[in-house]
Amino acid sequence: MLPVAVVISGRGSNMEAIARAAQAQDSGYRVVRVIADRPTAGGLARAAALGVPTSVVHLKEFSDRAGFEAALGNELDASGAALVALAGFMRILSPQFVQRFEGKLLNIHPSLLPHYKGLDTHARVLAARESHHGASVHYVTAELDGGPVIMQGRLRVRAGDSPESISARVHALEHIIYPHVCSLIARRRIEWRRESVYFDGAPLVAPLIEESDAAA
Ligand code: GRF
């Protein structure tokens, strides 16, 4: 079973989806630790309710980013995790930290990357009258929201969508694709080799796509 750690800052609905999938199916992975960067993260209680060990590396207790990242890295090492899933983790990690965990660090971003990197993606997508939106699970590299995308959940934007309504549908897709990617990595169907992604032994030339019928 691949040991996975999940790092959060907030409510942790993706963390919960990842942990529940690990418990419910033959996922090939297990969540060994949930780490939050603040004690108020709602996901901590969710993780505890699922019986997953939690810890807090409290950002505010460190005078600089290097100290915080060193402590986070040590906590991840101590957890024994071979894969680290950032899930609503609201910090930008330094290139040094990313390098330390190269090929083991995933993130989920609420857009169809490479489009709409950064914040407020739902409102920006609606303002631009895009036909489609979604979420992307990608390996983390030193470039913010720029690492190779493994899988995307895609949905159609509906007339009358608000940032809230579309966010809810994007979240539902996130809860499908993030556990799916963890399983694909656990089963070695997805692999990181020399800064590229391989799928079933061949270079992954385009992200795997999960279409949302419910949102069509
Ligand atoms: C998700 O929308 C994810 O794409 C983004 O932050 C949000 C986290 O939500 N990175 P949750 O804490 O998992 O509910």
Side-chain angles (χ1 to χ4, degrees):
M1 295 286 263
L2 184 78
V4 177
V6 186
V7 183
I8 62 170
S9 296
R11 64 179 175 166
S13 71
N14 278 284
M15 175 282 300
E16 183 165 358
I18 290 168
R20 282 192 185 280
Q23 292 175 352
Q25 328 149 356
D26 178 22
S27 64
Y29 70 91
R30 68 197 166 94
V31 178
V32 293
R33 184 74 60 95
V34 169
I35 303 172
D37 66 350
R38 60 200 73 182
T40 51
L44 287 168
R46 289 180 181 226
L50 290 166
V52 177
T54 61
S55 42
V56 177
V57 180
H58 196 185
L59 186 64
K60 287 195 175 157
E61 288 173 6
F62 298 89
S63 54
D64 59 12
R65 178 162 83 168
F68 167 74
E69 289 189 347
L72 178 61
N74 292 342
E75 196 68 28
L76 288 168
D77 285 345
S79 76
L83 183 69
V84 178
L86 306 179
F89 177 62
M90 297 305 290
R91 298 294 304 170
I92 295 172
L93 294 165
S94 70
Q96 292 75 19
F97 184 94
V98 171
Q99 194 172 25
R100 177 172 169 183
F101 290 94
E102 188 193 316
K104 295 180 180 173
L105 203 50
L106 301 177
N107 185 42
I108 187 156
H109 180 77
S111 79
L112 297 172
L113 289 173
H115 306 293
Y116 299 98
K117 297 176 178 178
L119 298 173
D120 295 326
T121 59
H122 308 306
R124 287 160 56 210
V125 162
L126 291 176
R129 299 180 177 275
E130 297 285 1
S131 62
H132 288 82
H133 186 32
S136 305
V137 177
H138 64 95
Y139 279 108
V140 176
T141 61
E143 188 195 342
L144 182 65
D145 299 330
V149 178
I150 303 165
M151 182 176 285
Q152 293 184 321
R154 250 168 66 101
L155 54 74
R156 192 177 287 280
V157 178
R158 294 176 184 163
D161 255 329
S162 64
E164 293 72 28
S165 67
I166 206 162
S167 162
R169 300 209 309 289
V170 169
H171 259 96
L173 269 176
E174 291 182 342
H175 300 163
I176 296 168
I177 63 174
Y178 216 170
H180 193 169
V181 169
C182 291
S183 280
L184 289 172
I185 292 172
R187 297 193 186 108
R188 297 181 175 244
R189 295 192 62 195
I190 289 284
E191 289 180 293
W192 173 268
R193 297 186 200 164
R194 295 181 306 279
E195 302 186 8
S196 315
V197 184
Y198 280 69
F199 177 54
D200 287 343
L204 182 67
V205 290
L208 304 172
I209 302 285
E210 170 84 30
E211 295 278 356
S212 170
D213 293 329

